Amino acid sequence: HLAGPPEFTTTCVLPALAALVKSGLRLEVTLGRPAEMLLDGLNDGKYDLVVSTVPPDSADFTVTELFREEFVLVAAPAVASRVTGSGAQALEGLPLIAYSDDRPLIRRYWREVFGREPSTVPAAVVPDLRGVLSLTVAGTGFTVLPRYLCRRELASGALFSLMEPAKPPANTIFLATNGPGNNTAEVACRALLGSAGSW
């Protein structure tokens, strides 16, 4: 039983486990957040393996760093063509697409890249990064996304990266299990670690 955040789990984790399922692994998946709730489920024995966006702090868990997700400021070509100048002020007046009213990814990007808090109120709020991606590709506005989620759109030209900071904001994603001895979870961890380089 695997638990993790919806976007990363569906985009990266599940394809990496497909071969194991084909060879007989029985997989049950729970998608959700916050990470602390999923880790509580691991601690209670509800899950065998948790993909976590926060570092698990329990000594009872076996924790492995899986992936470093990098955040990128993106827009569709029609919106990107309206950006003039540089810095945060170049984006003023353009519609912002956010994951939540709190704008956690956007606030972090602004603090680390621009050295300030964002002032733009979102034009649209979608509580799933895949929805944020689809609205952004449709030319609705600009946003901040994990690069793994929009790499195909960046490669095809459906999205443009609006800035390429020398040190882009990033976050470590972890794998957590209930200590050694769960052979199935250990096999799944090895498969995920083997695939992470392609994400």
Side-chain angles (χ1 to χ4, degrees), residues 5-174:
E7 300 88 352
F8 184 75
T9 303
T10 55
T11 303
C12 298
V13 172
L14 294 183
L17 296 177
L20 289 179
V21 174
K22 289 177 187 176
S23 65
L25 173 75
R26 184 178 179 277
L27 179 64
E28 185 174 345
V29 178
T30 295
L31 302 175
R33 49 173 66 86
E36 292 82 1
M37 181 185 71
L38 300 180
L39 292 168
D40 285 344
L42 178 65
N43 196 46
D44 295 340
K46 186 176 178 182
Y47 310 126
D48 299 302
L49 175 63
V50 167
V51 178
S52 177
T53 54
V54 299
D57 59 4
S58 172
D60 297 328
F61 298 152
T62 298
V63 179
T64 306
E65 289 188 11
L66 173 63
F67 183 67
R68 188 98 171 131
E69 62 176 347
E70 180 183 296
F71 300 114
V72 59
L73 181 66
V74 295
V79 175
S81 68
R82 295 163 55 194
V83 176
T84 57
S86 61
Q89 65 274 13
L91 301 166
E92 291 176 4
L94 297 178
L96 173 65
I97 314 302
Y99 167 80
S100 73
D101 285 320
D102 289 345
R103 305 162 297 165
L105 295 183
I106 293 154
R107 287 173 52 232
R108 180 168 176 192
Y109 193 98
W110 252 243
R111 284 195 305 264
E112 294 188 24
V113 175
F114 303 128
R116 64 177 196 166
E117 290 287 324
S119 58
T120 305
V121 175
V125 175
V126 184
D128 187 304
L129 291 175
R130 294 163 296 190
V132 173
L133 171 64
S134 68
L135 269 180
T136 307
V137 168
T140 308
F142 72 96
T143 194
V144 174
L145 290 170
R147 191 175 290 274
Y148 75 79
L149 188 63
C150 60
R151 62 184 173 147
R152 289 187 182 93
E153 289 78 7
L154 288 168
S156 71
L159 287 180
F160 286 167
S161 174
L162 300 178
M163 311 227 168
E164 290 293 338
K167 188 178 179 184
N171 186 48
T172 302
I173 296 177
F174 301 88

